[in-house]
Amino acid sequence: VVVIVVVVFDVQVVFFKVVVEVLLVLVGVILSIMLKVIVVDLNKVCWSLSLLTESSSLSSVVTSEDQFKAYMNTILVFINAQLSLSANNSIIVIGCKSKKSAVLYPSKSPRSEQPHDDRHFLFAEINSTILDAISEFMDDCDEDDNESEESNLAGAISKALCCINKRRQSVPFQSSSNTATTTTSATSTSTATSQHQDHVPNDHAELLSSCTIISVSKENSSQYFPLMNAIFAAQSHNVTIDVCCVRNRNATLEQATHITGGVYVAEELSPNQLLQTLISLYISSPASALIRKPVMDEVDFTAACMCHGNPITQGYVCTVCLSIYCEPRRDCLICGCEND
């Protein structure tokens, strides 16, 4: 009899813990204001190489354009899915290419002056605004944009952190439960048109934020230091960075996900495969903490030297500031200390 009573008591305790966890998740869904910043790599050269077919006929060019549109539509479906989870979700879209990054959504010039209650209308408005901004952003290019296979991801992540910090300033209450391992997103969809950036949350709101990067470009060793600075800034501000590399692997972005507790996927994905990956791994909500995400078995911690920006696995370290060099130097470029 005593054994039966103990077993029943243990079952009741476990059931009570499960109920409490579910209630906490529901409270988080109600009170949380969720912001997801999506950084889209729009490097023309990399997309062209990614979509290039063996044939160089005119039909293959048309097919490549259609495939690019399919990828962009996939990202829009992902955005709509993120917004559909809760009325407290909102997004910011940032585009980047070789030497430039810009906020594509919300737009500085709103199309609708009056808010609309129809969610389908709001989604159509968001989709159209983002597609127009992408087209304008890619058409506004320099000569170097047509040659470089590297993108200004450091500037894009810095803009993302600035947008998140600006939105946090409008939230009077911040909970300490927003940890770096929490994968989440952003503010309110009821004002999902351009008016939503002026939305003032309630006094008990908690802003949960994350950054998702969709990358196709090669790793830019010259941006290693500003990129790492942005990554550590995201870690200190409890911003999770998730990365999906559609074409080229990126060791620095892999380190970013490891440092901030995000998800890293690097595979050659078709539009349908990309959609499945984004929906299953990168959708953010307070319940995301209960979902088991893939964990990297190995992380590439390749660093770049301070002198040339080249990736190295072995090098020379300054004894004062710990700067790394690929060749011995008498004086450090960072701290100026003389080394023997």
Side-chain angles (χ1 to χ4, degrees):
V1 176
V2 175
V3 174
I4 296 176
V5 172
V6 172
V7 171
V8 172
F9 178 76
D10 291 340
V11 172
Q12 291 177 345
V13 170
V14 173
F15 177 76
F16 178 75
K17 290 182 179 180
V18 172
V19 171
V20 170
E21 290 181 359
V22 172
L23 290 177
L24 289 176
V25 170
L26 292 177
V27 171
V29 172
I30 295 173
L31 296 182
S32 297
I33 297 175
M34 309 186 63
L35 174 62
K36 176 176 281 293
V37 182
I38 301 173
V39 176
V40 184
D41 190 347
L42 297 175
N43 189 301
K44 275 188 175 182
V45 177
C46 293
W47 277 110
S48 298
L49 293 175
S50 178
L51 302 176
L52 187 63
T53 59
E54 295 182 358
S55 173
S56 60
S57 61
L58 179 62
S59 60
S60 65
V61 176
V62 175
T63 303
S64 298
E65 294 178 355
D66 293 340
Q67 286 179 339
F68 177 76
K69 292 180 181 179
Y71 276 104
M72 295 302 104
N73 289 331
T74 294
I75 296 174
L76 292 178
V77 172
F78 168 65
I79 291 173
N80 294 340
Q82 176 67 44
L83 294 176
S84 300
L85 287 178
S86 172
N88 289 332
N89 287 7
S90 68
I91 54 100
I92 294 175
V93 180
I94 297 176
C96 67
K97 48 187 178 181
S98 60
K99 292 186 177 180
K100 184 179 179 181
S101 61
V103 177
L104 305 180
Y105 182 85
S107 175
K108 294 182 179 179
S109 54
R111 294 189 175 191
S112 300
E113 298 182 356
Q114 299 295 331
H116 205 282
D117 294 332
D118 187 0
R119 293 178 67 87
H120 296 288
F121 176 84
L122 293 178
F123 289 155
E125 188 79 6
I126 292 172
N127 295 347
S128 179
T129 301
I130 294 175
L131 288 177
D132 290 346
I134 289 175
S135 178
E136 181 180 354
F137 181 76
M138 296 188 71
D139 291 340
D140 181 20
C141 62
D142 301 327
E143 294 181 358
D144 295 339
D145 292 337
N146 296 324
E147 300 177 357
S148 175
E149 295 184 41
E150 302 170 345
S151 295
N152 185 19
L153 290 173
I157 296 177
S158 299
K159 279 187 173 64
L161 295 177
C162 290
C163 293
I164 291 173
N165 185 62
K166 181 179 179 181
R167 192 68 62 85
R168 283 180 174 176
Q169 299 302 318
S170 64
V171 181
F173 174 79
Q174 284 292 317
S175 171
S176 60
S177 63
N178 185 17
T179 61
T181 56
T182 305
T183 308
T184 45
S185 14
T187 54
S188 124
T189 289
S190 57
T191 48
T193 55
S194 60
Q195 291 83 3
H196 82 278
Q197 64 263 38
D198 299 326
H199 174 67
V200 179
N202 61 73
D203 293 339
H204 301 286
E206 176 189 359
L207 180 63
L208 303 174
S209 54
S210 68
C211 177
T212 298
I213 302 174
I214 302 174
S215 173
V216 293
S217 60
K218 290 184 176 180
E219 185 172 3
N220 189 350
S221 58
S222 63
Q223 290 191 23
Y224 176 79
F225 305 110
L227 193 55
M228 290 304 297
N229 288 335
I231 292 169
F232 287 120
Q235 181 191 31
S236 64
H237 287 80
N238 298 328
V239 177
T240 304
I241 296 179
D242 300 318
V243 177
C244 181
C245 294
V246 179
R247 180 171 175 260
N248 294 301
R249 297 185 64 89
N250 192 311
T252 308
L253 293 182
E254 186 176 354
Q255 296 175 34
T257 58
H258 177 75
I259 293 171
T260 62
V263 177
Y264 178 81
V265 174
E267 299 288 344
E268 293 187 4
L269 302 173
S270 66
N272 292 334
Q273 293 171 333
L274 177 62
L275 178 60
Q276 182 180 2
T277 303
L278 292 175
I279 294 296
S280 59
L281 298 180
Y282 296 94
I283 287 287
S284 299
S285 70
S288 297
L290 302 178
I291 302 175
R292 297 190 62 180
K293 300 293 181 67
V295 180
M296 292 179 290
D297 297 331
E298 297 180 357
V299 181
D300 186 359
F301 288 106
T302 301
C305 65
M306 295 285 185
C307 46
H308 304 96
N310 297 325
I312 57 174
T313 55
Q314 294 181 349
Y316 300 87
V317 180
C318 174
T319 56
V320 178
C321 66
L322 302 181
S323 299
I324 304 174
Y325 298 95
C326 61
E327 57 187 17
R329 295 186 58 89
R330 184 163 184 82
D331 57 332
C332 178
L333 296 175
I334 304 303
C335 65
C337 178
E338 293 186 359
N339 298 305
D340 296 333

